[in-house]
């Protein structure tokens, strides 16, 4: 009986076999069925698979070390729609290349949770680790990886990850605070915030940073000036347009990301509002194109390449069994002041 | 003796063994050494490896079909620096996902030819195929893939690929022609071209399209107005600035890509030249950000997502042994007119 294919040594295969036999006994299935489940093969009925998975979980099964012929790092994105993604890919790829790992890239086309097909493919590929960007793996998916000793690192998680899942992000709260304080220091008082979906921790933190800066300056937050929008240009265009049409419009808008800020640029252009003479705009991310916008955009820089590299290094140290003392790494954000912000015009 | 690892069936292994023994005899080495070379393993002296490679090439060796446990599509980029790359990745990834292939991404950090380490890793991964974007594989690398029956498709080749290497691109010449004709139709006569490195066929074709449109309109090309620059913002900033400082500057600049055009935007801003009132600018690619530039950019659209998808489909049909009647696929470019072009101001 082959348990995990040809890459296991003889001794490893024998030790493995005992465990598989025991699991099979506990789950009331045949050993080959257990092997199929462990190795992510198809052809096992859902109920059987679930029974085996339950036993694996219950007994804390961990597949023993083996060396697959291809060392793979899985990188999964909810969407590949912006330079934001490309910067992260570059960071992951740099570290992977140094370590001789192949980066396998998956896009979920906007879905936040990967489907069953993805899970099966990943288990079959037996990667060194999985980096999930802006995605949410189900508890079952997380446990399927854990029972195969495949480490998981989440980058900018969209939900609350299981307590033990390590994650990498940036100091979103501090970034939101710095952006808002910059606008307040310029003399703005009608400061609006275009937030992203607040159920996502990174967006919530940026909004909280905005509120904290306003509170610290003793400037009341006008509820009319706080909007939640999608993190795309279209969201900024729509909600930015609404803000500009208010009877008492804001003199400054802080956006949860650069794409939204580009949308606000377009809304301002359509409304005949000049940036920065009539309206100051701050973005978040510092995508490479922001400096070539008209006018060059003031924004909060996230070190995206370093975030990707950090996630990859975290995977490697987890895969090497090194104890991790940090389960949440936050890299520093920095405010980059360009030409989309200025003191409010005197009315 | 294990020839290719555990994934070959018994019958396949036996047939393979005979061939390997014969090659070993011809090359004067042991069969395991031949296996190591075929499977991209290390630990074979360079001179031995070269001798074995020569026999493989000479006898038209093709590794027999086997089914590696992981179906991989290799995607290699010279650099991951722009949304240009991300669009191509998305196209490749879409097709790969539909077909259950894992996309392994490699960046060469600006080098055009992958190194030896890359070749060895790829041979060891035994991919379904390789897509090389804006890269140049050596004749030896191409032949190493061919002897392993690994199809290669080149996207926007930077050099003249071996005659039989299929390639995918866009109608660069027609795009250059359309952009230039648009400027001529608006009434411009001092039309400059910021070209990319002309040894790259895609850049040469865009420049030739520019010249063809000028010739067709009976407008002589002023050699001072034709520049060759890097395909980055910095190139457009530098050479665009020089063009604007000429005693008789151009009233319109057609750039070989959008990044250059962003550089020209910045050069114009620094020189106090208004777009489009004083200067018309046309880019090439239609990256997602061009529509949010100040002003929104007129550009030639390349269907980058479709180009990636086409390359991936071509790999799949080659891997399936389907005869390919097309060795060069060119997808259509289209001119997208926005607000960076206008008739020249009357002086």
């Amino acid at each position: 009986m082959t348990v995990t294919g040809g890459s296991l040594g003889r001794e490893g295969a024998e030790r493995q076999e005992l465990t598989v036999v025991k699991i099979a006994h506990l789950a009331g299935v045949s050993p080959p069925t257990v092997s199929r489940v462990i190795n992510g093969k198809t052809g096992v009925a859902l109920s059987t698979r679930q029974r085996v998975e339950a036993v694996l979980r219950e007994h804390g099964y961990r597949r023993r070390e083996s060396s697959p012929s291809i060392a793979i790092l899985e990188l999964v994105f909810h969407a590949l729609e912006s330079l934001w993604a490309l910067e992260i890919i570059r960071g992951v790829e740099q570290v992977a290349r140094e370590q001789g790992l192949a980066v396998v890239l998956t896009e979920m086309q906007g879905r936040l949770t990967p489907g069953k097909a993805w899970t099966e493919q990943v288990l079959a590929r037996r990667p060194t680790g999985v980096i999930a960007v802006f995605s949410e793996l189900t508890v079952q998916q997380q446990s399927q990886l854990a029972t195969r000793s495949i480490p998981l690192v989440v980058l900018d998680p969209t939900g609350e990850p299981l307590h033990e899942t390590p994650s990498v992000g940036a100091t979103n709260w501090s970034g939101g605070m710095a952006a808002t304080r910059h606008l307040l220091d310029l003399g703005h008082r009608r400061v609006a915030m275009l937030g992203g979906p607040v159920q996502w921790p990174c967006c919530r933190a940026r909004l909280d940073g905005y509120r904290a800066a306003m509170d610290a300056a003793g400037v009341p937050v006008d509820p009319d000036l706080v909007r939640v929008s999608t993190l795309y240009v279209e969201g900024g265009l729509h909600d930015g347009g609404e803000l500009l049409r208010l009877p008492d419009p804001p003199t400054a808008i802080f956006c949860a990301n650069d794409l939204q800020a580009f949308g606000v640029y377009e809304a301002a252009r359509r409304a005949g509002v000049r940036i920065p003479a009539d309206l100051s705009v701050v973005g978040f991310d510092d995508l490479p194109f922001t400096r070539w916008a008209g006018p060059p955009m003031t924004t909060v820089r996230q070190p995206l390449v370093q975030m990707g590299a950090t996630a990859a290094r975290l995977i490697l140290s987890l895969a090497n069994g090194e104890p991790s003392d940090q389960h949440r790494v936050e890299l520093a954000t920095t405010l980059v002041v360009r030409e989309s912000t200025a003191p409010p015009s005197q009315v």
Side-chain angles (χ1 to χ4, degrees), chain A:
Chain A
M1 191 189 81
T2 305
V3 176
T4 56
S7 57
L8 255 186
R10 176 172 298 276
E11 193 186 87
E14 272 165 12
R15 277 191 293 146
Q16 186 88 34
E17 219 160 49
L18 289 172
T19 315
V20 167
V21 168
K22 194 174 156 201
I23 294 163
H25 179 72
L26 289 165
V29 301
S30 73
T33 301
V34 173
S35 297
R36 295 193 77 77
V37 172
I38 290 175
N39 294 307
K41 308 272 183 193
T42 51
V44 180
L46 181 62
S47 58
T48 309
R49 182 181 293 273
Q50 285 171 340
R51 205 155 67 237
V52 173
E53 291 282 358
V55 173
L56 292 175
R57 236 185 349 261
E58 207 175 299
H59 292 260
Y61 173 83
R62 291 284 182 281
R63 179 156 59 188
R64 287 211 181 63
E65 271 310 307
S66 62
S67 41
S69 53
I70 308 176
I72 280 177
L73 188 54
E74 297 278 343
L75 179 59
V76 55
F77 278 88
H78 84 300
L80 292 175
E81 281 173 325
S82 131
L83 276 173
W84 183 84
L86 197 61
E87 298 282 292
I88 291 169
I89 293 173
R90 293 178 67 195
V92 171
E93 212 275 336
Q94 271 170 25
V95 172
R97 183 162 11 86
E98 287 163 15
Q99 304 293 327
L101 287 169
V103 176
V104 169
L105 191 70
T106 306
E107 182 190 29
M108 295 187 298
Q109 311 216 276
R111 285 188 305 151
L112 292 178
T113 300
K116 201 161 153 286
W118 176 81
T119 314
E120 279 176 8
Q121 284 172 18
V122 167
L123 295 183
R125 289 198 283 261
R126 304 168 59 202
T128 303
V130 175
I131 299 174
V133 182
F134 214 69
S135 315
E136 203 165 340
L137 269 62
T138 63
V139 171
Q140 202 207 348
Q141 287 169 329
Q142 296 188 36
S143 117
Q144 284 177 314
L145 294 177
T147 53
R148 274 79 171 178
S149 301
I150 300 171
L152 167 69
V153 167
V154 185
L155 204 147
D156 264 349
T158 55
E160 207 53 56
L162 285 188
H163 182 63
E164 66 264 37
T165 304
S167 67
V168 174
T171 56
N172 293 296
W173 184 88
S174 302
M177 179 100 178
T180 311
R181 195 189 291 138
H182 167 64
L183 293 168
L184 290 164
D185 287 349
L186 286 169
H188 292 276
R189 288 301 172 265
R190 300 274 305 152
V191 180
M193 164 96 208
L194 256 185
V198 285
Q199 69 273 29
W200 297 343
C202 57
C203 291
R204 176 60 196 253
R206 290 171 204 177
L207 179 61
D208 286 350
Y210 157 82
R211 287 186 190 280
M214 295 288 274
D215 286 353
V219 179
V221 171
D222 179 348
D224 269 2
L225 297 191
V226 178
R227 308 272 163 147
V228 166
S229 187
T230 64
L231 289 170
Y232 297 105
V233 177
E234 292 71 16
L237 177 55
H238 177 264
D239 289 279
E242 284 198 359
L243 284 170
L244 294 178
R245 284 189 295 275
L246 287 176
D248 186 9
T251 62
I253 304 180
F254 166 43
C255 302
N257 78 353
D258 290 340
L259 297 181
Q260 282 188 345
F262 273 107
V264 170
Y265 271 47
E266 178 67 8
R269 213 178 57 85
R270 293 187 188 175
V273 169
R274 295 162 303 160
I275 299 172
D278 308 321
L279 179 72
S280 286
V281 179
V282 182
F284 205 106
D285 280 344
D286 193 26
L287 299 181
F289 275 60
T290 51
R291 78 194 69 167
W292 314 114
M297 190 186 290
T298 297
T299 186
V300 178
R301 177 161 206 277
Q302 286 206 79
L304 297 165
V305 174
Q306 289 96 309
M307 284 159 68
T310 302
R313 279 194 212 98
L314 204 48
I315 287 285
L316 287 165
S317 73
L318 291 167
N320 287 335
E322 290 163 22
S324 167
D325 45 358
Q326 277 192 299
H327 272 90
R328 168 76 185 161
V329 180
E330 296 207 348
L331 301 184
T333 51
T334 41
L335 181 70
V336 182
V337 177
R338 297 199 183 100
E339 297 170 38
S340 64
T341 47
S345 54
Q346 309 302 321
V347 185

